[in-house]
């Protein structure tokens, strides 16, 4: 028997694992891009009911090829207040089912010679590279990325199984797997530790399948390792919940409890089967497809068993993670969470909501600043200044989030959406500045006890009403993607421009006739100038829907 070169085996196996992991992630990115806005439409389903949550969790995980990523995203949704713990339970259960898709992809090679990794890898890589390099359309490029990822995954699998084959002749390796099969705790611990280190159950199952291809893994050790892998995958979500609010920590705890309870139930069943009922089967070598079957059956049965006890899981999580609602510090950003960046289409949906929320704050501030001026209310002016601080904080927070989002794997359409969000944030921040300016003018008018003539007061009410209506239409259009609403804002902005010019001339005439005093005149002119600029920025937001170059393409699909 030839001597085994451990260095060559180690390097080949690690290189193969690296290609497998890269291919899995690259394929997931391509699937996300191909899904486009259909992914963000799933957000509405998430809020419907727990059963649909299971389906969505499975679907999203099948697309992004990682139950850990889906669960991290769920922690983000709970942290952002977009999902309740009961809704999170369904998605987490579905994520465990969806993660089995990778194992089935790996199993293809056992079904027929043509589907073997060594055959499919070069075909998919070649087609994928050609499509990525020469395709013009987004969709075609995404398919190219999927195929290239698929091929790289198979190439990595082929390298790992090839590296492991010489080990099948070693009695020490066979003894190791026999030991893992004979000691359930050791098998489960091995699966847990390996998965916790690489933070992907799909990848760790891929390693197990590569070893199975080399004929190294018996049934009993495979099952215990798979149970451990399901526990180990919880580490990513638990780490992700550090620094999040109490409910987000509870969501991560639900993921851990779900997998731990399920693994404990099936470990007991496996021990009974392999020790007292079918001991010979436990020692026979498991095939790659059989690993996929075990992995899938475990996750489906675990969901069926624990689904009726979702309330119990929430109850346990609430007692495991102590704390009362409202204890955590309130975050200015309500819809954004970096965990959601794992799935850019969802992150774009939430970023849009946060931008609209910022816009509504600016709209409220415009109304409040005008009320402070008309009613000579100093308290309202101070409220304007405080809200302006919040708007500025939101601008910095949203822009920082959008920068990270723009570096995520986005399609050209999604990149266009993110660019539009940057523009919207800038315009909303400027609207907030002009509201703040009017608040300062109101404060100055109150302190100096300035008075407007009846004509000036009426004119200010007329122009401010037009500008506020223009802003309301622009923000509502942006929030809903309603082109008709956006078009309705255009004539209002034109009317504000016309009024601003007309009122400026009229007021200059009143000043010349000494109908208004000079200080009141300055406040009046500065106010209508700020109102006119508010309508300008409002129409910029509306034009994000109407301008072909800045169009919010997300709403078109």
């Amino acid at each position: 028997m030839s001597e085994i070169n451990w260095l060559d085996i180690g390097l080949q196996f690690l290189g193969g694992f690296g290609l497998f992991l890269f291919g899995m992630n690259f394929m997931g990115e391509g699937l996300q891009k191909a899904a486009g806005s259909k992914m963000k439409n799933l957000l509405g389903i998430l809020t419907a009911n727990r059963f649909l949550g299971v389906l969505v969790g499975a679907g999203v995980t099948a697309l992004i090829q990682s139950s850990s990523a889906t669960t991290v995203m769920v922690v983000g949704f709970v942290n952002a207040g977009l999902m309740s713990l009961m809704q999170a339970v369904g998605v987490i259960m579905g994520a465990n089912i969806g993660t089995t898709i990778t194992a089935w992809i790996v199993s293809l090679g056992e079904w027929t010679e043509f589907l073997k990794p060594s055959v499919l890898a070069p075909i998919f890589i070649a087609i994928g590279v050609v499509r990525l390099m020469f395709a013009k359309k987004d969709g075609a490029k995404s398919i190219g990325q999927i195929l290239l990822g698929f091929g790289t995954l198979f190439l990595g699998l082929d390298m790992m199984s090839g590296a492991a084959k010489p080990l099948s002749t070693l009695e020490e390796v066979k003894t190791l797997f026999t030991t893992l099969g004979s000691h359930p705790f050791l098998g489960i611990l091995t699966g847990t530790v390996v998965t916790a280190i690489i933070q992907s159950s799909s990848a760790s199952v891929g390693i197990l399948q590569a070893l199975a291809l080399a004929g190294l893994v018996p049934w009993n050790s495979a099952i215990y390792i798979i149970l451990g892998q399901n526990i180990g995958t919880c580490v990513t979500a638990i780490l992700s919940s550090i620094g999040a609010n109490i409910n987000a920590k509870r969501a991560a705890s639900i993921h851990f409890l779900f997998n731990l309870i399920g693994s404990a139930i099936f470990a007991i069943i496996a021990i009974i089967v392999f020790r007292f009922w079918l001991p010979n089967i436990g020692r026979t070598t498991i095939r790659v497809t059989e690993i996929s079957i075990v992995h899938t059956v475990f996750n489906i049965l675990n969901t069926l068993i624990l689904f009726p006890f979702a309330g119990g899981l929430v109850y346990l999580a609430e007692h495991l993670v102590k704390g009362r609602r409202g204890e955590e510090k309130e975050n200015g950003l309500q819809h954004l969470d970096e965990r959601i960046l794992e799935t850019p289409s969802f992150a774009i949906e939430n970023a849009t909501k946060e931008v609209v929320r910022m816009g509504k704050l600016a709209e409220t501030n415009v109304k409040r600043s005008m009320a402070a001026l008309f009613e000579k209310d100093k308290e309202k002016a101070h409220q304007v200044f405080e809200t302006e601080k919040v708007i500025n904080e939101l601008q910095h927070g949203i822009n920082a989030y959008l920068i990270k989002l723009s570096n995520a794997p986005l399609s050209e359409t999604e990149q266009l959406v993110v660019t539009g969000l940057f523009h919207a944030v800038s315009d909303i921040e400027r609207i907030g500045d002009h509201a703040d300016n009017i608040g300062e003018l109101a404060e100055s008018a109150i302190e100096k006890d300035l008075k407007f003539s009846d004509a000036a007061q009426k004119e200010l009410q007329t122009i401010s009403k037009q500008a506020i209506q223009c802003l309301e239409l622009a923000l509502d259009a942006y929030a809903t993607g309603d082109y008709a609403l956006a078009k309705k804002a255009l004539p209002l902005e034109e009317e504000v421009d016309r009024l601003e010019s007309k009122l400026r001339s009229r007021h200059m005439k009143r000043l010349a006739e000494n109908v208004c005093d000079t200080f009141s005149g300055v406040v009046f002119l500065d106010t209508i100038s700020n109102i006119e600029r508010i309508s300008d920025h409002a129409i910029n937001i509306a034009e994000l829907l109407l301008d072909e170059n800045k169009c919010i393409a997300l709403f078109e699909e």
Side-chain angles (χ1 to χ4, degrees), residues 326-341:
E327 280 184 357
E328 60 269 8
K329 187 180 176 182
E330 196 64 38
N331 194 333
L333 298 169
Q334 290 185 5
H335 298 103
L336 303 186
D337 191 291
E338 290 192 16
R339 299 163 187 82
I340 305 172
L341 290 169

Side-chain angles (χ1 to χ4, degrees), residues 353-367:
K353 287 182 178 179
E354 194 66 29
V355 170
V356 170
R357 173 175 165 260
M358 178 186 172
K360 288 297 181 182
L361 280 175
E363 179 190 311
T364 299
N365 236 21
V366 171
K367 293 174 181 176

